Amino acid sequence: MNGAQALMKTLADAGVSVCFSNPGTSEMHFVAALDQEPRMRAVLALFEGVATGAADGYARMAGKPAATLLHLGCGLGNGLANLHNARKGRVPVVNIVGDHATYHVKYDAQLQSDIETVARNVSTWVRTSGSTEKLGDDAAQAVAAAMGPPGQVATLILPADVSWSEGGVPAAPVQPTTALVADEATLDAIAQALRSGGKAALLLGARALREPGLLAASRIAAQAGVKLFAEVFPTRIERGAGLPHVERLAYLAELASLQLRGLDHLVLVDAKSPVSFFAYPGKASDLVPEGCTVHTLASPMQDAVGGLQQLAARLGADAVAPVLQPAVRPDRPKGKLTAEKVCKAVGHLLPENAIIVDEAQTSGVMLPHFTRGAPRHDVITLTGGAIGQGLPNAVGVAVACPDRPVLALVGDGSAMYTIQALWTMAREKLDVTTIILNNRSYAILNVELQRVGATGGGSKAGEKARSQLDLGNPGIDFVQMAAGMGVHAVRAISADEFCDALAYALRAPGPHLIEAVVPSTFSGLKLRLLPHILGSLASLPQSLALAIKRKVSP
């Protein structure tokens, strides 16, 4: 048995059953070993960012890591953005990165690079395997490190001669680490804080946003009168009719500050203390209100669900009924197509048990509102903020959950980062409906250009600046691109066309793409409203949401 064969068996024995690959010469023995391991599915991506993003999406739904196969430091570098998103989402991923043979390194060949340095920016665990005999052990350690807790990116660097040499020995899986619940003193202190009569909220993240955590948190909220919030961009959140509704913190610091205003206690449950996404002149980065005490019920290393359940027991909330979202759908939209009507149509037609991959950016601002009472579904968001995640995530999600419909809502600018994912959807016959919201611009950056004060307080940027945010010259034809990669695609310019196209895509098997031609969400709005538009309207107080929707200053 050579090293690659031992590596393959070790991965499969540890439960890794999918490899998203973009291989090169140094990885050919690993590629050959795929034929000898029936438990490992091999999914080819045409770009490394698709492979890493697919591994991220897969793990978010499967609850275990997939492997990637990447070619040297340059291939790893091409996949870094989506590994960054996985790292920020605490998602388990096992990178296998090929390297030159150990004896070839000294020649500094054209593709030679310091792979470990490239890997450390996104990987908590990095190792270059030094021998064929120890490769199996290295692989078992990589899987265990990726699983955590917390989940993380683990990168195993595989020199070509370690892969092709004989003497490989498969290793048994490493026993996983058990996440512990917060200690008694912490639970007592938080329970006392919630009973104190002050204004309090729970901020939920990661595993706390699945059904068991949501139910426990809702019982606590009902018993103690506290508010429930979710992170701005959750790794994965279960939502819809029959589950507790949780407000997501708004992306814009101004809106998040309104949501958190007046809190005396903020309890973190597998979530970070809230900070502004970026720094802005004259605005605070730390969003915790002055005078608010921050408590940690569960760090990423701890058992969030167990912590919520024990806190509920301490508060006497076990017998309290959670507050569940009733079933309600918006009406079918009509007339000229807008981003809001796209979101409304999704809420109108969303099938049971769907998975939404949301990278719609500014065009998706109304999506949480219109899907709030839709049939139960999962939502995956842009956790790390590096665009180009949506299409690859949808590939991985569909591989992990082949019996569930997948919808990917993606902005036109974001889609072009990893458009090659469409080819993999067609090749693998994945049940993914991709909706490209084409407003022919980097619309969010038009807002940020003004928010950071780059225009000197004026409402207009110059021609050269505006050209850097414009995607309409020339226009991008997503229908032709999708067809060229084997994906059925149509363009919609009216709400009726979009609804018909979405209904067809949801009932017909295989991948589909709908190019929704929409105006920018900010068309015609006054500059003074821009700081308020990007927050999720479903996450805001009703009066503020209505004020924004009516284009009236709150």
Side-chain angles (χ1 to χ4, degrees), residues 29-272:
H29 285 79
F30 185 101
V31 170
L34 288 166
D35 286 329
Q36 300 175 31
E37 181 47 76
R39 295 173 293 173
M40 183 70 72
R41 179 175 178 179
V43 179
L44 177 62
L46 299 185
F47 175 62
E48 292 90 341
V50 175
T52 55
D56 176 13
Y58 174 92
R60 293 189 193 213
M61 295 308 302
K64 64 176 185 176
T68 70
L69 179 63
L70 309 173
H71 182 45
L72 304 175
C74 296
L76 174 61
N78 282 340
L80 281 185
N82 278 326
L83 290 174
H84 162 83
N85 290 328
R87 178 176 70 91
K88 287 294 187 178
R90 301 191 291 278
V91 179
V93 176
V94 176
N95 287 320
I96 308 297
V97 183
D99 196 5
H100 290 298
T102 54
Y103 59 82
H104 194 67
V105 171
K106 65 182 179 182
Y107 297 108
D108 193 24
Q110 283 84 345
L111 276 171
Q112 178 65 38
S113 65
D114 184 349
I115 301 175
E116 288 195 4
T117 295
V118 177
R120 284 196 180 96
N121 188 52
V122 293
S123 311
T124 307
W125 186 97
V126 180
R127 182 177 299 174
T128 299
S129 194
S131 73
T132 301
E133 294 78 11
K134 294 181 179 179
L135 177 57
D137 286 334
D138 293 338
Q141 292 290 337
V143 175
M147 285 296 294
Q152 57 192 297
V153 179
T155 298
L156 176 61
I157 301 166
L158 177 61
D161 55 335
V162 171
S163 180
W164 72 50
S165 296
E166 296 298 317
V169 181
V174 175
Q175 189 69 22
T177 302
T178 301
L180 301 178
V181 176
D183 59 38
E184 298 293 319
T186 298
L187 288 163
D188 288 340
I190 294 174
Q192 182 177 352
L194 298 186
R195 291 191 189 105
S196 67
K199 186 177 179 182
L202 305 183
L203 178 56
L204 310 178
R207 294 181 184 272
L209 292 170
R210 316 278 180 83
E211 182 178 16
L214 292 171
L215 292 174
S218 183
R219 290 187 176 99
I220 292 169
Q223 173 74 7
V226 303
K227 189 74 175 175
L228 296 182
F229 292 113
E231 291 180 307
V232 179
F233 291 130
T235 302
R236 173 185 169 188
I237 180 170
E238 295 180 1
R239 62 193 306 272
L243 287 172
H245 174 69
V246 179
E247 291 185 14
R248 279 169 57 182
L249 284 184
Y251 163 74
L252 293 188
E254 296 93 329
L255 288 177
S257 294
L258 286 175
Q259 291 172 285
L260 299 170
R261 186 170 56 189
L263 286 182
D264 299 300
H265 299 280
L266 180 64
V267 180
L268 306 179
V269 190
D270 204 1
K272 281 185 61 177

Side-chain angles (χ1 to χ4, degrees), residues 377-449:
H377 59 279
D378 286 88
V379 177
I380 285 175
T381 72
L382 187 62
T383 313
I387 65 174
Q389 172 183 302
L391 293 176
N393 261 194
V395 168
V397 164
V399 171
C401 304
D403 57 339
R404 298 180 63 180
V406 179
L407 279 76
L409 280 77
V410 186
D412 51 341
S414 300
M416 289 305 297
Y417 277 57
T418 46
I419 196 69
Q420 308 93 328
L422 296 175
W423 182 88
T424 301
M425 293 179 192
R427 177 185 172 99
E428 299 293 323
K429 299 179 175 60
L430 301 178
D431 189 13
V432 176
T433 298
T434 297
I435 300 168
I436 305 290
L437 291 124
N438 188 357
N439 57 23
R440 298 185 173 92
S441 71
Y442 287 123
I444 192 171
L445 296 182
N446 282 295
V447 178
E448 296 289 25
L449 184 68

